[in-house]
Amino acid sequence: MFGLFKKKSKLDKLRDQYAKLQKEAFDLSKTNRQLADQKTAKAEEVAKEIEKLKQQEN
């Protein structure tokens, strides 16, 4: 309840975006493989950003 108004960190936002892109890519893989590959590529870019942020925190 108290975490209701807590703002998400940039890392949390990127993780959510990555999960969303992966789900969209999976759904598209059933109908349009080319778009699915594009979504997967975008998800990989987000994954690289996540890794950069993790390295900066350590």
Side-chain angles (χ1 to χ4, degrees), residues 8-25 39-40 42-47 49-50:
K8 288 186 176 183
S9 69
K10 185 172 182 176
L11 186 59
D12 290 334
K13 288 179 184 178
L14 286 173
R15 286 180 179 154
D16 290 344
Q17 183 181 5
Y18 177 77
K20 180 183 172 190
L21 287 169
Q22 286 291 90
K23 183 181 181 325
E24 288 175 2
K39 291 285 183 180
T40 302
K42 286 181 185 178
E44 290 303 315
E45 290 175 14
V46 172
E49 289 182 39
I50 290 171

Side-chain angles (χ1 to χ4, degrees), residues 20-32 36:
K20 180 183 172 190
L21 287 169
Q22 286 291 90
K23 183 181 181 325
E24 288 175 2
F26 175 73
D27 292 340
L28 283 170
S29 69
K30 300 172 189 173
T31 58
N32 190 336

